[in-house]
Amino acid sequence: MSGSGSQRTGDVSLAKTLTNLDALALGFGAMIGFGWVVLTGDWINEAGTVGAIIAVLVGGAIMAVVGLVYSELTSAMPKAGGIHNYALRALGPRWAFIASWALAGGYVTVVAFEAVAFPRTVAYIIPEISQIPLWDVAGDKVHLSWALLGVVAAIIITWLNVRGVKPASIAQNFTVIFLVAVGVLMIFGSVTRGSAENMEPLFTPGIAGIFAVLIAMPFLFIGFDVIPQTAEEVNVPPRRIGWLVVISVLMATAWYAMVVLTTSSAMNVNDLVHADIAVADAFGTLFNSQILANILIAGGIAGILTSWNSLLMGASRLVYSLSRTGMLPAWFGKLHPKYQTPANALYFIGGLSLLAPFFGEIMLNWLVDSGGPSIIIAYFFVSVIFVALRRKEPTMDRPLNIGRGWKGEVIGWTSIVLTGALFTVYLPGMPSALDWQPWLIFGIWWVIGLVFFVRVPGGIKPGPNAEAELVSLARDRTSR
């Protein structure tokens, strides 16, 4: 690290401006997007109150184990790109591309999800925004004004990130604080006005309901890994960065469990099924106030903005890392001349999100389902990388060591087994198997990845010098 407080690789550098609170707000805020607002009613209907809580806790436990693995790797290699650098060191360039592309795919689905979620949320408060019908998608009428609202929001969020990570993180901190205040109100309303009778049935018969909720968990928990992606810009000790990963996962688990309990205490399951946005309607019912329901929706908008901002930030750093190691064209690695942010990567990801609102509200479900498999593939790779580095480099400096010797390796193998098992719930024949539309979106992303995969240099061996060798090779390519 240089005395100026920036981390350099090659001829470029990212500004080291994020504090402890900034990093925690990024991780937690990324996980608390809009899914909790629109999906909770379905969770309670499919699994019952306790069944939904079990799915949340199981999903949170799996993510916490992955978070432990991530935390050690982050403390040992605090560089932009996170998983990309870990995989280069442990597995080599080709596997590094696959792991990175998987996580980037998960990020992009969340960014696109928020571009659809924003107009969906605003329409709850102002139904009149849906004007000028365009077409139907899966029975859902898409309106031009509705879609353009998502487009304008995407442009603003992208512009904010181009301006710099610190201004974006300041906005993130304020929205997270507002989101937490809404959560406190939800708990107060549930304790003082909720009913335990509304929570029945506690379980929906069979395990299919729990599985149906569980498949959404990777999508909802993605975000703690934004902290590793931006680690090069976090101005705190490496050991503390690792702990921030774990803390953010625990905070998100508590949040989702709280939302299920407070929502189910406010309205019975039959009313929740027919609600416009279940969590908002439940909140309004607790206080008998549409104004407070709209405040909840404002909390949903805060969640959209925090998740959108964090995942766009993380995705751009990952794409930037792929570019500076020559796996994506050099255009993706260009930094803004004034703000020193990966502007072209931000334009690319922000541009993809502009398309999503034109598919209408149904796109929310498709993006949740299509992002899950890619996210789990990435987390599986992180777990493999952890075990591989434990064996290849036992003396590697690990400021945050989650377990000495075999104890640490057991955590790594546990993460491998859990993530591998979780991937199977998406497959055909399982109670929660995905429809063809999510698999189509998943397939398109990986076909695009295959096109770029042919750029991945061969002949570079895994190890501490892999990234530097690739950066040098990429620089030579660009200069020719």
Side-chain angles (χ1 to χ4, degrees), residues 57-129:
L57 294 179
V58 169
I62 294 173
M63 294 304 111
V65 174
V66 176
L68 280 172
V69 169
Y70 244 124
S71 68
E72 179 172 302
L73 294 173
T74 302
S75 73
M77 292 170 280
K79 295 182 179 180
I83 188 174
H84 183 61
N85 298 294
Y86 313 156
L88 278 175
R89 187 158 179 168
L91 306 175
R94 290 191 169 92
W95 290 116
F97 178 87
I98 294 171
S100 302
W101 194 252
L103 190 58
Y107 285 166
V108 169
T109 58
V110 177
V111 172
F113 176 93
E114 307 303 358
V116 181
F118 185 76
R120 171 68 181 97
T121 311
V122 174
Y124 179 90
I125 302 173
I126 312 172
E128 295 79 12
I129 69 163

Side-chain angles (χ1 to χ4, degrees), residues 149-297:
L149 184 61
V151 169
V152 170
I155 292 172
I156 292 172
I157 292 291
T158 303
W159 172 82
L160 183 62
N161 272 271
V162 171
R163 292 274 300 179
V165 66
K166 186 60 179 179
S169 68
I170 291 172
Q172 182 89 347
N173 292 346
F174 279 113
T175 48
V176 166
I177 290 169
F178 178 72
L179 194 61
V180 170
V182 169
V184 171
L185 278 175
M186 293 174 70
I187 294 171
F188 174 77
S190 178
V191 171
T192 60
R193 301 164 184 257
S195 169
E197 293 180 1
N198 286 335
M199 295 182 177
E200 297 178 354
L202 299 181
F203 290 96
T204 298
I207 199 171
I210 294 177
F211 271 33
V213 178
L214 189 59
I215 64 170
M217 290 301 113
F219 184 90
L220 293 173
F221 275 95
I222 189 172
F224 67 85
D225 39 283
V226 168
I227 297 173
Q229 307 313 326
T230 58
E232 199 168 306
E233 297 158 275
V234 178
N235 194 25
V236 298
R239 176 182 173 84
R240 194 176 301 167
I241 297 174
W243 279 120
L244 292 175
V245 172
V246 178
I247 292 169
S248 67
V249 173
L250 296 177
M251 289 172 61
T253 303
W255 176 270
Y256 287 125
M258 178 276 296
V259 170
V260 171
L261 286 172
T262 56
T263 301
S264 65
S265 72
M267 298 172 67
N268 64 55
V269 67
N270 292 326
D271 291 334
L272 287 174
V273 170
H274 296 99
D276 183 11
I277 296 182
V279 176
D281 287 353
F283 191 58
T285 299
L286 282 174
F287 294 95
N288 193 27
S289 169
Q290 184 59 40
I291 293 176
L292 285 177
N294 291 344
I295 289 176
L296 186 282
I297 285 296

